[in-house]
Each structure stands twice: as C-alpha cells, then as structure tokens.
Amino acid sequence: MISIKDLTKVFKTKDQDVLAVDKLNLSIDKGEIYGVIGYSGAGKSTFIRLLNRLEEPTSGEIELNDQNLTGLSKSKLRVARQEIGMIFQHFNLLWSRTVFDNIAFPLEIAGVPKQKRESRVNELIDLVGLSGRGKSYPSQLSGGQKQRVGIARALANNPKVLLCDEATSALDPETTDSILDLLVDINEKLGLTIVLITHEMHVIRKICHRVAVMESGKVVESGDVLDVFLHPKEKVTKRFVDQVMGDPDRENSLDVINENYRAGEVIQLHFVGENTNQALISDVSRRFAVNVNILHGKITQTQKGAYGTMLVQIDGEETEVKQAIAYMKTTSVEVEVSPDV
C-alpha cells in the first residue's frame, strides 16, 4: 500500500543544515492503522507532511499503490492527493463556513456537481456523528466536534489513506477516546488505511495495529503494537510503554524495590491475551513452599489483545525459590528475573 524508501529531509538555514528525517524506511499495509510515535523534535510531523508532499523530500521515495509520489509533476500530484486525506491537531477549519460548507469545500475544488456534493456531505455528517449540526459554525462546536468536521472533510473525496497529524493532542482524555473510536469505526467500515502520528502511547495502544518509534529523524524500533509493548528494546520505547503501564519512573521504582525487598527474589511477569486471566500466583503458592508478594501490577488492552505486567517478590528457601521460578518459565507467562530498566 505505502512503501517508503530512504526518505530524507534536510532543512537549510543560515547557520546550519537540520536533518529532520534521516533515511527512513517503512512499509504500511492496506487497511491497517499504523502509528508513528516520538517526542518533540523526533521528526514525526515532518515525516507525515512528506507523505503527501506538503514538504518536499530532499531524497528518497514514497510509493502509494505502486505510484511514486516523489516523481509526480504538480498537476499529477494534485490528482494523487485526492487519494490522501489529512486531519490536523488544531482542526484547520474555515471559520466563516458552516459545518456543511467546510466538509463540502474539497468537493467544490474537485468540481463535484452540487447535487452529488450535498448527498456526500450529508452522508459524511452522519458518519462522524454530527447529525443536526450542518448549519453550525466552528465557533459553536466543541473541540471534539471540530475534529469530527475535520475528519469528515478529509474523507470527502473517498481517499484511500488518512493521515492524522497529532489529531487528538488538543483534546481532553474523554474526547480523545471518542475520536479514536471514530477512527477505528471508519477504518473498519471503509477499509481505510490510517497513518497516525502522536507523542502519546495511549493512542498507539488503543487503536494501532503496528507502530514505529522515531528518534532524531530515524525509526529506532518498529513492529506489532503488542510485540513492542512486550519487548521494548530502545530506552525511548520503554519510556513510551511506561506511559501506559503506569510507571514513568520505572528505573527509580526498581531501585527502591530491590533495596527494600532484598530478602527475596524480585521478578517481573509479562501476561499476554488469555494469559492475563491465568491464576499463576496462587498456583505457585500451592506447589512450592514460598511466599509470593505482589509489589506492582497493571493490565491494559491493545488491538491485538490484553497485555499485563506484574512485579512480585518470591521469598523462601533458595531451592524452593529456584524451583518456583523454573516452573513459572514453563508456563506461557514470560518471566524476567532482576528486570532490566
């Protein structure tokens, strides 16, 4: 669907050249929700603007449905862009136009006849949950409603790809969840490919199938969301995972735990999918002469299933503790002794 090869963007200034995107390579499948996450300055906003050539790449290629977008003339690019919708952090609505007229705007530019235009706009208003608000102006809408208008407008020309540039960053948590639910609904109903950039792991966790982690213009880690949650390799990825799993000070927490629970072995357990319901702790306590003390735990949901982590202290005779840990490792629960930070 989307193939990105050695994509590079250098911004030239009077003082220096700034490498915003550095030989980035990605492949995004048709119909998936692909997340790109990174902190400020990682290059993610530049990356998504390169995808529809709002920014011109310095080098590299972007292919959409086997068409090389980087090689298109301006006239052909205008046609190709009709297959790419985009929504923005601050909505970018036309404040002098009603909801109906905002959504109709790209159809007007494309020369769609009035009757077809009206039919399409009404269809989109219903799709995004704004029935009855067609005559309202942006100033009369909440932040979530404004973003729904932005989504409807982006879908006006029946695009194959929807680009989301920090689409929920200006919204409160409850409204963010409602917009994310809408994006999932659109993805499933229309088979739309969605590329979403964010600095919030909650967004990735809730709706994305796969994720790429960006740092200093590069993709430093990528894969299925559940796999990345389970096995974050890079320090920046671990920080993002800790956003969701509730321990942003993981390193300090582990130091405190190791200092205060020296009498027993401290281990970290990873539960996936149905394993989150597994009664492992009580099972171990019955089988072995050990005491199991739960220090910390949390379960969260991803598109691919539930994921949970738990820190426990196992205390008892050394032989019994070793046997208990060995038994845990034979189950489908992943066991990490003296977990790395």
Side-chain angles (χ1 to χ4, degrees):
M1 177 61 178
I2 302 175
S3 177
I4 301 156
K5 301 174 183 176
D6 292 329
L7 189 62
T8 300
K9 177 64 180 181
V10 178
F11 290 102
K12 296 184 179 295
T13 67
K14 290 182 179 179
D15 300 325
Q16 62 180 343
D17 291 348
V18 178
L19 182 60
V21 175
D22 187 5
K23 293 184 178 179
L24 189 146
N25 291 275
L26 277 182
S27 179
I28 300 170
D29 296 333
K30 181 179 180 180
E32 78 172 328
I33 303 178
Y34 198 102
V36 178
I37 191 167
Y39 290 108
S40 296
K44 60 188 187 299
S45 291
T46 301
F47 162 68
I48 206 165
R49 290 172 62 84
L50 289 168
L51 289 184
N52 60 0
R53 283 180 58 186
L54 287 177
E55 291 286 354
E56 287 295 325
T58 303
S59 61
E61 293 184 355
I62 303 165
E63 287 188 1
L64 173 61
N65 288 335
D66 299 321
Q67 183 180 42
N68 188 348
L69 298 183
T70 46
L72 295 180
S73 64
K74 289 185 178 180
S75 59
K76 289 183 178 179
L77 179 61
R78 279 194 294 270
V79 175
R81 276 181 176 152
Q82 292 183 13
E83 295 191 344
I84 306 173
M86 189 165 184
I87 57 177
F88 304 87
Q89 178 179 356
H90 297 295
F91 322 124
N92 287 17
L93 301 181
L94 300 169
W95 296 92
S96 61
R97 282 179 167 244
T98 63
V99 166
F100 186 99
D101 292 336
N102 263 282
I103 299 170
F105 186 61
L107 297 171
E108 293 174 19
I109 294 174
V112 176
K114 184 177 180 181
Q115 190 172 353
K116 286 187 177 180
R117 195 163 67 226
E118 290 180 352
S119 175
R120 177 61 175 159
V121 172
N122 287 326
E123 177 187 337
L124 289 166
I125 286 175
D126 289 340
L127 177 67
V128 300
L130 288 175
S131 299
R133 302 307 302 264
K135 294 182 179 180
S136 300
Y137 286 88
S139 60
Q140 299 170 310
L141 304 178
S142 67
Q145 289 171 329
K146 290 171 188 173
Q147 194 57 283
R148 287 173 186 269
V149 177
I151 292 170
R153 181 184 59 187
L155 298 176
N157 283 314
N158 291 298
K160 293 183 173 63
V161 177
L162 180 63
L163 307 180
C164 305
D165 185 3
E166 297 277 11
T168 60
S169 294
L171 306 175
D172 61 75
E174 185 175 350
T175 305
T176 290
D177 283 343
S178 71
I179 293 298
L180 295 178
D181 288 340
L182 175 61
L183 291 175
V184 170
D185 187 50
I186 289 168
N187 168 257
E188 292 174 350
K189 285 181 178 177
L190 306 181
L192 192 67
T193 303
I194 298 177
V195 183
L196 182 151
I197 70 162
T198 183
H199 63 274
E200 299 172 297
M201 199 62 175
H202 164 72
V203 173
I204 300 294
R205 186 271 303 172
K206 187 172 175 66
I207 72 168
C208 294
H209 302 112
R210 290 195 294 153
V211 61
V213 182
M214 285 191 69
E215 187 175 32
S216 302
K218 296 177 179 287
V219 171
V220 296
E221 192 164 349
S222 64
D224 289 347
V225 169
L226 191 53
D227 290 341
V228 171
F229 265 75
L230 269 173
H231 305 290
K233 297 179 179 65
E234 301 295 325
K235 192 170 184 178
V236 63
T237 310
K238 291 177 181 179
R239 288 171 63 193
F240 280 123
V241 170
D242 284 340
Q243 282 183 5
V244 175
M245 297 313 292
D247 191 6
D249 298 317
R250 184 171 182 264
E251 184 172 352
N252 290 335
S253 298
L254 288 170
D255 286 343
V256 171
I257 287 169
N258 286 323
E259 185 176 329
N260 289 281
Y261 294 93
R262 289 177 180 171
E265 188 79 66
V266 175
I267 66 173
Q268 182 162 311
L269 307 176
H270 299 274
F271 301 82
V272 185
E274 295 179 358
N275 296 335
T276 55
N277 298 319
Q278 186 172 329
L280 180 64
I281 302 303
S282 58
D283 186 23
V284 169
S285 297
R286 286 194 301 269
R287 287 174 179 267
F288 305 96
V290 295
N291 294 315
V292 183
N293 182 21
I294 299 174
L295 306 177
H296 173 77
K298 186 171 183 179
I299 296 174
T300 191
Q301 190 71 31
T302 74
Q303 280 282 65
K304 294 288 184 71
Y307 162 63
T309 62
M310 184 181 293
L311 279 173
V312 300
Q313 175 211 21
I314 303 179
D315 192 17
E317 294 291 333
E318 184 178 355
T319 301
E320 288 289 319
V321 170
K322 286 183 178 179
Q323 288 178 351
I325 293 174
Y327 170 72
M328 287 182 175
K329 290 181 177 179
T330 66
T331 70
S332 52
V333 174
E334 291 193 26
V335 180
E336 188 179 346
V337 180
S338 299
D340 296 329
V341 296

